[in-house]
Amino acid sequence: MTYNTTLDFCELFDDYQLAESICSNIVRHSKHYSKSGRNDPQPALDTQALSETLKLLFNLSQYYPQHLSNLAKSAPQILKILCRINLSTPILQPPVTYLVNALLNLSVDRDDKPHKDSESNPWFPKPDQYCNIDRLISILDNAVRTYTEEQLETLATPLVTLLRKVFEFAPSHVRPHMQTALLPASSDRSQPLGQSNTLSSRLLRLSASAVAPSLRESVSSLLFELSDKDATSFVRNVGYGFASGFLMTHDLPVPMSATEGWSTGESDITLREKLTNVDGNEVNPVTGQIRELESETPEEEMTEEEKEREAERLFVLFERLKATGVVNVRNPVEEAVRERRFEEME
């Protein structure tokens, strides 16, 4: 309806209350979802009608931003549906994907300031100010355990983008909740970061994906923003191994103490302590692992899957380094493929 059409949508907005009609339709759909969570499956026609309404809403909010304030009135009902709808398997399918997409442009009131502590904000309702955030994070957790990286490139990127937008305008008491849920915890540091099965570890692996460039960029940006856009905090949270590529490609200074983590120099003791001490434990700034646990971890030969993932991570890091234009470097992984030194695996 919004593509290759001669319809005058400005006229529909001004003279026929298009925004109000869309909001009314979404309110009508939201009444089918009870607070108890005991929601019977909706008829296929109702689900399809909701999906089409959400698609129209997203396109109009994208191409007619001057009417966004009226369209944004549907946000509370969209959040209500998203929190109460019975999630299917696999999880990222209509109407869930359309609910997420619709919220992308409605995630912040243009008149609101970031971090505004407003009790009336539908994203952070008074009874449970974390409910919408927790729902999005739960959907993301389920998705990264279910889909391949290639599938996540298309399906999960809007969800990660939405979480980034929400974090940007979240109240001061909500931001730590998101940081705790998405950044590596102390329990992740019993081994090098990114090797466990937690959500944060899976996100770290996606931040180095060779086959999902859009998702890789979005996840890396999310982790950087969760670190308050501070390079030192970023390296401290995710380890220099995962942080370095993002910092270089975005022309952000790399904390020197991170690259000197193995030395005994005292050039910047304060910065070094910030990078190497997490929750009272000394950590390796490159891998993020607790130092005292490194010697207890037996040195095992890498599995074929681990070798493949490490090759992908190195490929991404070298491609990012080349993109900076600072140095002319040849990607050793790409060179190995060209020389047929890699063997196809079944």
Side-chain angles (χ1 to χ4, degrees), residues 19 47 52 115 121-122 125 133 168 175 222 243 263 273 281 342:
T47 301
E52 293 301 320
H115 321 313
N121 192 323
I133 299 299
E168 183 180 358
R175 291 164 67 88
L222 172 63
S263 70
E273 288 181 350
N281 295 307
F342 272 137

Side-chain angles (χ1 to χ4, degrees), residues 187-199:
S187 56
D188 290 308
R189 297 182 182 274
S190 61
Q191 54 188 319
L193 292 179
Q195 292 191 7
S196 69
N197 289 320
T198 62
L199 173 59

Side-chain angles (χ1 to χ4, degrees), residues 140-141 143-153 156-157 160 194 198-223 242 309 312-313 316 320:
L140 178 62
D141 189 21
V144 298
R145 295 173 186 275
T146 305
Y147 295 95
T148 65
E149 292 183 6
E150 292 87 344
Q151 292 172 321
L152 289 170
E153 168 76 352
T157 301
V160 176
T198 62
L199 173 59
S200 59
S201 289
R202 292 176 184 274
L203 290 176
L204 285 176
R205 295 197 290 269
L206 288 172
S207 74
S209 172
V211 297
S214 296
L215 181 62
R216 178 181 72 221
E217 175 66 19
S218 192
V219 169
S220 295
S221 297
L222 172 63
L223 296 173
F242 285 106
R309 184 171 293 279
E312 289 180 354
R313 192 175 73 85
V316 170
R320 282 175 164 174

Side-chain angles (χ1 to χ4, degrees), residues 300-308:
E300 298 179 356
E301 185 177 351
M302 297 173 68
T303 65
E304 292 300 326
E305 182 180 355
E306 290 172 336
K307 290 178 182 178
E308 184 177 349

